[in-house]
Amino acid sequence: MNTPRIAIVGAGISGICMAVALQRAGFTDFTLYEKADEYGGTWRDNSYPGLVCDVPSRYYQFRFAMNPEWSHLYSAGPEIKDYLVGVAREHGLRRRTRFGTEVTGAVFDGDGWQLTTSDGVTRRVDFVLCATGFLHHPSRPDIPGLDEFGGAVMHSARWRHDVELTGKRVGVIGTGSTGTQLVSALAGTVPEVVLFQRTPQWILPTVNRPYTRVSKRLYSLIPALGALPYWFNRAAFAVFSQGLVHPGRVRRFIQWVVERNLRSVKDPELRRKLTPDYQAMCKRLVVSDRFYRAVQRPDVTLVTEGIDHAEKRGVVTTDGRLHELDILVLATGFDSHAFMRPMAITGLDGRTLDQAWEQGPRAFEGVMMPDFPNLFMLVGPHSPFANHPLTAVAEAQSARIVGWLRRWQAGEFATVAPTRAATDRYNARMRAAAPSTVWTTGCTSWYLGKDGLPELWPWTPGRYEKLIRSAPDPVDYDLNQRVESRK
Ligand code: NAP
């Protein structure tokens, strides 16, 4: 039986998940390419103070690697990174991983791919599995004079641990999940925090508790116990996701909760400034038990005037006021639409990824594209990712990809790609469903594509999982046999 040669690009959550799935299915001829020098993806890149995953840890983990040792209900970033590194180690992935090796290009050659890496080497593989993530390329705001700022400037996803915070006045630009976590953590540890807010956020309250030694011991002794919180959280998220994709009771309830939470801000003027003019969950919902407390502290200033420019001493807002700072943190998010870029990918008949995605990233069922045979994506365009754990999405998509590899091995085809018609139909159905989602109710967010529509799965994650775990419908695919010359 033929063994497919496989390249996985990226060793974050989805790359690790894919590699383990391959190994468990008996596919051993694969290489995991990672341009950095460690596993973890976004959990490796982000190391800012206060980084916590706002999805419960007992749900934000792989079902095949339940960790009994989570320290908290919501665990900190470094703990999640260590978990991912540990999963890779336990599954012996290091010997199959090439760190410090960026895949720069991939060209389809008729029944496989010529892959070029940053070391100038070209290698032929039968399948390319892209696990490159979407919160990967930091988005740097275009603020005039930023380069003239005399203090340290850093993007939240490139935290400079060489910069001493003690005694420093810190400015934070951005009020997404990152900015709010940063401000919550920095407040009280530095003399002054200045938060530059362009758009206020609704905040879902929560309580983060540590797991006791006894409970961790129980989870260790009876591994099956881990399934209880996993499935409990999954059920809770299934209810929550109803509010994301349909107007109705759940949406109204979440709105009521966040409005009530906002009432904990005592000063009416501050409360007014923190009140969004759009519905809760339209932007990715921020979950925090600390942000409102932090922002009410006397050493935290909320600035709502727009940023005009930066200069040597700090940031000047449109009212002409200079906010003197020592450190400026850009918590300004990511270019989430970049997906597999800057890799140069060329598919059938010389069609490039940039050409295929001229109107924005489009895929079939989140994992494949027409004209790019034998190329699969993990957590690709329109996968379900709003407040939903990517671990679960990656597990379901890996299973689908393994299914295709098995069929290749059985000789059913040499190359497979979805048809353009199936992809167009699929994307049209998603476009038609988009207006019911909360993401189109009147806010801007990184979820929205060029056409103003969300690049997210517009139904519940459960419905996606059912689809991706079902057998692919043959009419949706072009299956080809091996090109004669390669036999
Ligand atoms: P984000 O949600 O895209 O937020 C970026 C923030 O920067 C927004 O408040 C935005 O304002 C502001 N901004 C951007 N450019 C600006 C400019 N030129 N001037 C002023 N403000 C500007 O980014 P993020 O907070 O890094 O979060 C990105 C995603 O990462 C999240 O949505 C989430 O999926 C993930 N994340 C998850 C966790 C977790 O706990 N699981 C934690 C952190 C991040 P506007 O709103 O006006 O555009």
Side-chain angles (χ1 to χ4, degrees):
M1 207 182 266
N2 272 342
T3 303
R5 288 159 297 177
I6 303 163
I8 303 175
V9 188
I13 286 185
S14 53
I16 293 170
C17 180
M18 188 69 245
V20 173
L22 290 182
Q23 208 152 256
R24 287 155 72 106
F27 296 103
T28 48
D29 191 352
F30 69 87
T31 305
L32 199 47
Y33 292 93
E34 170 55 57
K35 68 179 175 189
D37 57 3
E38 188 50 285
Y39 295 102
T42 197
W43 295 105
R44 176 201 59 231
D45 291 347
N46 283 275
S47 60
Y48 59 81
L51 173 60
V52 167
C53 180
D54 59 13
V55 179
S57 313
R58 296 208 180 278
Y59 187 29
Y60 197 95
Q61 61 177 340
F62 298 123
R63 266 193 279 173
F64 61 80
M66 296 276 202
N67 174 18
E69 292 292 332
W70 290 115
S71 67
H72 286 76
L73 181 61
Y74 301 97
S75 297
E79 195 174 338
I80 298 168
K81 188 199 125 193
D82 290 348
Y83 164 76
L84 294 170
V85 171
V87 171
R89 190 184 47 241
E90 276 158 33
H91 288 84
L93 297 186
R94 274 197 190 269
R95 66 200 157 95
R96 302 193 191 280
T97 307
R98 288 185 57 190
F99 288 111
T101 311
E102 181 174 358
V103 175
T104 51
V107 179
F108 184 68
D109 67 5
D111 55 17
W113 289 86
Q114 302 284 344
L115 212 65
T116 311
T117 45
S118 47
D119 48 12
V121 174
T122 298
R123 192 187 156 214
R124 192 172 183 286
V125 292
D126 299 301
F127 290 90
V128 178
L129 316 183
C130 290
T132 43
F134 53 92
L135 297 177
H136 178 44
H137 299 288
S139 162
R140 206 179 145 88
D142 191 12
I143 297 174
L146 197 53
D147 293 339
E148 279 143 47
F149 178 58
V153 183
M154 56 184 122
H155 190 278
S156 51
R158 298 287 180 274
W159 194 262
R160 285 181 51 191
H161 292 276
D162 61 318
V163 173
E164 181 55 60
L165 292 173
T166 314
K168 301 287 170 57
R169 296 160 300 179
V170 184
V172 176
I173 301 179
T175 48
S177 303
T178 303
T180 49
Q181 289 187 347
L182 257 167
V183 168
S184 307
L186 292 175
T189 67
V190 293
E192 192 185 351
V193 178
V194 181
L195 173 59
F196 296 92
Q197 171 189 279
R198 188 163 68 180
T199 312
Q201 286 276 3
W202 289 112
I203 313 280
L204 188 72
T206 188
V207 181
N208 194 8
R209 290 186 197 288
Y211 282 106
T212 61
R213 268 211 328 224
V214 175
S215 69
K216 285 194 256 182
R217 186 94 187 104
L218 272 176
Y219 281 115
S220 285
L221 285 173
I222 317 169
L225 264 189
L228 289 178
Y230 185 93
W231 290 102
F232 170 78
N233 277 293
R234 197 177 151 97
F237 271 71
V239 174
F240 170 81
S241 63
Q242 292 289 341
L244 294 171
V245 297
H246 304 296
R249 267 188 303 181
V250 176
R251 204 180 283 181
R252 284 197 300 276
F253 175 69
I254 302 275
Q255 187 66 40
W256 177 79
V257 173
V258 294
E259 284 178 13
R260 231 183 116 78
N261 189 31
L262 180 62
R263 281 191 236 150
S264 65
V265 176
K266 298 284 174 269
D267 174 24
E269 179 55 15
L270 182 61
R271 196 163 60 235
R272 186 189 62 75
K273 289 181 172 178
L274 288 167
T275 306
D277 62 359
Y278 56 87
Q279 286 188 40
M281 304 187 290
C282 183
K283 285 174 179 286
R284 185 188 185 276
L285 193 56
V286 173
V287 183
S288 177
D289 54 345
R290 297 167 68 192
F291 177 66
Y292 284 151
R293 256 184 292 142
V295 84
Q296 292 182 81
R297 291 176 59 98
D299 48 5
V300 175
T301 309
L302 179 72
V303 176
T304 53
E305 287 76 23
I307 294 172
D308 187 73
H309 65 277
E311 58 139 88
K312 193 166 187 301
R313 289 170 298 161
V315 169
V316 179
T317 39
T318 48
D319 55 358
R321 186 160 168 216
L322 168 68
H323 303 269
E324 290 196 46
L325 299 165
D326 304 304
I327 297 170
L328 187 56
V329 183
L330 312 174
T332 44
F334 302 86
D335 175 6
S336 59
H337 313 285
F339 284 100
M340 299 178 279
R341 269 66 76 84
M343 246 190 305
I345 302 182
T346 308
L348 266 181
D349 303 325
R351 188 166 165 77
T352 66
L353 183 66
D354 288 344
Q355 288 167 341
W357 282 2
E358 216 172 350
Q359 302 305 319
R362 301 279 179 272
F364 183 63
E365 299 182 346
V367 289
M368 296 170 94
M369 288 181 292
D371 296 333
F372 294 84
N374 290 13
L375 183 139
F376 290 87
M377 290 168 284
L378 278 298
V379 200
H382 295 96
S383 292
F385 34 66
N387 289 81
H388 186 68
L390 292 190
T391 41
V393 180
E395 280 189 74
Q397 293 179 336
S398 301
R400 164 64 74 89
I401 295 168
V402 163
W404 279 116
L405 294 173
R406 287 206 168 108
R407 290 177 63 178
W408 183 93
Q409 201 167 34
E412 284 186 38
F413 66 90
T415 67
V416 61
T419 65
R420 194 182 295 274
T423 308
D424 288 347
R425 272 197 310 274
Y426 177 77
N427 280 277
R429 278 202 302 273
M430 286 195 294
R431 269 198 303 282
S436 298
T437 68
V438 73
W439 309 305
T440 56
T441 55
C443 69
T444 58
S445 77
W446 63 262
Y447 290 160
L448 303 179
K450 274 187 194 166
D451 54 5
L453 294 178
E455 284 175 1
L456 274 83
W457 172 254
W459 301 286
T460 61
R463 179 164 163 183
Y464 179 76
E465 194 160 335
K466 199 166 162 205
L467 170 81
I468 205 70
R469 285 192 183 275
S470 63
D473 187 338
V475 300
D476 293 336
Y477 296 89
D478 282 328
L479 269 64
N480 289 304
Q481 285 307 324
R482 198 161 291 278
V483 174
E484 277 311 303
S485 60
R486 291 200 170 275
K487 265 189 174 171

